[in-house]
Amino acid sequence: MKSKLLAATLFIAACGSKSAPSHTTPTPDQTQSASTTTATSMPAATPAVASTGKAKPAYGTYGFDTSGMDTKAKPGDSFYRYANGTWLDKTPIPADKSNYGMFSVLSDQSDERTKTIILGAKGAPGSEERKIADYYAAFMDETAIEKAGLDPLKPELDAIAKIKTSKDVTLAFAQQSRLERRMPITTGVGQDDKDPEHYIANIGQGGLGLPDRDMYDAKNKQFEPLRVGYKKWLSTALSWTGAKDADKRAAAVYALEEKLAASHWTRVQNRDPQKTYNKMTIAQLTKLAPDFDWKTWLDATGLAKETAFNVNQPSAITAAAKLVKSTPVAVWRDYLSVQVLKHEAGYLSKQYVDAWFEMFGKTLSGTPQIKDRWKRGVDEVTNAMGEAVGKLYVSKYFTPETKQHADELVHNLLTAMGQRLDGLAWMSDETKAKAKTKLSTYNPKIGYPKKWRDYSALEVSPTNVIANDEGAAAFEYNRQLAHLGQPIDRDEWGMTPMT
């Protein structure tokens, strides 16, 4: 679930926007300075009108909040503590947050506004507004969700229980990938780093229940509470499937994930753009991992017609392919069942939500309390239909006049940057010309996209929250898949207007 900031954020990108920053939410009267990188006074949540007749800033004055500093701290030891120490000591983190910062108050306001828009959404069956309303209504119908229990997932769990061969496992990997669940061999579509005018299908490592390979290493004692909590979660999830020996089977799943983790590249290795770029043909994929049924996987992921792929971590793919063949199919069945439950437990009845949050909220993230249901509902609708909601948000909160002013501001900024380049005595004429060329490629993105996303292919049920979550994931996968073979869309947005 992503969090959102305020509309009208000015975003300038040379190649196109990607992912939005993640923020959490405070209450306005608690916010005095930033807990992230700066400290800024933000005492009030209600706009006031100055004697000039112009509205004052809604969230305090501009400048630096000296009252939030800790002047006893030595700035040379920790400038962060020096700048923010008093604010950090006095400001509580809300119970449904794992962290807390400046932008959180804006996120809260955006959530409140988005909730109002969602509740007011109306329209004929099949229209975007009706889909927005139905998606939210299905998530908020706790009575129906409690009554359904685990039933909405039984068809999927029953299908996994019928898996008998490694080919079946491979097919399941592909099917789960199309629901945007990260399997041991996972895929996605992105810009080709060495051919930036085109998209490419990426193949990479995945499939871990814990966020990082190092968390599985027993030598890293600081992660022991996470390992204990995760093993408990695995056993609990398997007990939901009717497993009588859940602890034993959970241990086997954990051991499988340990092997996957041991083969994964480290974060440092994954930051190397040269090592993570390995363009391969299907023949080269087969040579890299001959134990894997690439034809089955490529057909089921919709990638069979592609002639080239970027393999991010070749050695990890080789290792995962060997595990597909060497690991008992029964262990893979349990692994896949747990993956489904991990991704969907948050949409089930209370007992499943509580167990899921105990591990992935409290234990893993340190968040004491789950978000109010309406906030989670807003997150879900925004994640699934962000631009559809954004279209309504913009019409209410981001006027054409505001858009024009923001466009002018950024235009003037780029003009000023060009003028500054002209005046740089230390830069040669040749370098200035190249800098001007680079400046001319900047693509300002202000408030909302030039072309709104089309959600006509997304089916939404007013009663089935699981179907909606999986349908939204499949819709997004297919949308990304459609990029292949097309020129790069530099006007595509990676964030919502609310952000």
Side-chain angles (χ1 to χ4, degrees), residues 219-499:
K219 294 192 295 293
N220 293 327
K221 301 298 183 183
Q222 70 270 34
F223 298 128
E224 183 60 23
L226 299 185
R227 291 191 287 268
V228 171
Y230 184 58
K231 290 173 184 177
K232 179 181 178 182
W233 152 258
L234 290 173
S235 181
T236 299
L238 285 170
S239 72
W240 296 340
T241 68
K244 295 180 180 179
D245 50 350
D247 288 346
K248 181 180 178 181
R249 288 163 65 171
V253 171
Y254 185 83
L256 170 58
E257 291 190 24
E258 273 187 317
K259 293 175 183 176
L260 284 170
S263 72
H264 276 204
W265 288 24
T266 66
R267 289 176 183 251
V268 173
Q269 290 172 313
N270 284 322
R271 287 198 293 266
D272 189 324
Q274 301 300 326
K275 291 182 179 178
T276 54
Y277 188 89
N278 305 279
K279 203 166 187 177
M280 296 186 183
T281 63
I282 293 178
Q284 289 170 319
L285 282 177
T286 303
K287 185 177 179 180
L288 175 71
D291 297 307
F292 195 66
D293 186 347
W294 287 106
K295 184 180 187 308
T296 293
W297 187 83
L298 291 168
D299 285 345
T301 54
L303 298 173
K305 294 182 180 179
E306 296 304 300
T307 58
F309 308 84
N310 178 40
V311 181
N312 295 122
Q313 306 93 3
S315 61
I317 300 305
T318 301
K322 289 180 178 178
L323 284 171
V324 171
K325 189 173 182 179
S326 63
T327 302
V329 173
V331 177
W332 280 119
R333 285 198 296 264
D334 286 342
Y335 168 88
L336 289 163
S337 295
V338 168
Q339 290 295 312
V340 170
L341 290 165
K342 175 190 172 186
H343 283 85
E344 302 302 330
Y347 306 101
L348 298 173
S349 54
K350 188 176 184 301
Q351 73 171 97
Y352 304 107
V353 174
D354 288 348
W356 168 80
F357 185 75
E358 182 68 29
M359 173 58 213
F360 298 102
K362 290 182 182 179
T363 302
L364 188 59
S365 300
T367 307
Q369 178 180 306
I370 197 168
K371 279 185 178 182
D372 290 342
R373 192 167 191 91
W374 74 262
K375 292 181 180 179
R376 288 185 281 143
V378 166
D379 286 343
E380 293 302 323
V381 178
T382 301
N383 290 342
M385 302 184 65
E387 288 192 14
V389 178
K391 196 185 300 183
L392 303 175
Y393 192 100
V394 164
S395 68
K396 186 174 180 65
Y397 293 111
F398 194 45
T399 65
E401 292 78 16
T402 304
K403 173 82 162 83
Q404 181 182 349
H405 291 158
D407 285 338
E408 290 174 356
L409 185 154
V410 175
H411 173 76
N412 292 339
L413 174 63
L414 293 174
T415 301
M417 290 172 71
Q419 292 171 346
R420 180 163 182 163
L421 287 172
D422 290 332
L424 293 177
W426 57 268
M427 188 179 283
S428 69
D429 289 342
E430 181 183 3
T431 305
K432 286 181 183 180
K434 290 182 178 180
K436 283 287 194 71
T437 299
K438 184 174 183 178
L439 185 63
S440 70
T441 67
Y442 272 58
N443 182 18
K445 295 183 173 182
I446 312 300
Y448 52 88
K450 295 176 182 178
K451 181 181 179 180
W452 294 104
R453 192 165 296 173
D454 180 6
Y455 292 96
S456 58
L458 175 63
E459 295 186 7
V460 175
S461 166
T463 58
N464 192 330
V465 64
I466 296 293
N468 288 345
D469 179 65
E470 294 187 340
F475 170 84
E476 178 60 18
Y477 181 91
N478 291 332
R479 192 184 71 83
Q480 295 288 342
L481 197 66
H483 284 329
L484 292 170
Q486 303 298 317
I488 292 294
D489 183 359
R490 298 186 183 277
D491 291 324
E492 182 179 7
W493 275 56
M495 62 177 72
T496 69
M498 292 75 77
T499 307

Side-chain angles (χ1 to χ4, degrees), residues 45-62:
T46 304
V49 179
S51 58
T52 60
K54 294 182 178 180
K56 290 183 178 180
Y59 298 108
T61 57
Y62 296 101

Side-chain angles (χ1 to χ4, degrees), residues 74-155:
K74 294 181 179 180
D77 293 340
S78 173
F79 190 80
Y80 179 76
R81 179 73 199 176
Y82 174 73
N84 298 287
T86 298
W87 181 86
L88 288 168
D89 291 340
K90 292 184 176 181
T91 307
I93 298 176
D96 64 349
K97 310 289 185 290
S98 63
N99 57 78
Y100 184 34
M102 265 287 288
F103 285 109
S104 303
V105 66
L106 300 181
S107 179
D108 259 357
Q109 177 176 306
S110 181
D111 281 347
E112 291 281 359
R113 288 176 169 180
T114 304
K115 175 188 176 184
T116 300
I117 286 170
I118 291 172
L119 291 176
K122 300 176 182 178
S127 67
E128 281 191 355
E129 285 202 48
R130 174 64 70 85
K131 289 179 180 181
I132 290 169
D134 286 349
Y135 204 108
Y136 186 77
F139 184 86
M140 295 301 293
D141 191 351
E142 292 184 81
T143 301
I145 290 171
E146 286 297 320
K147 183 179 180 180
L150 194 63
D151 288 348
L153 285 182
K154 283 187 176 179

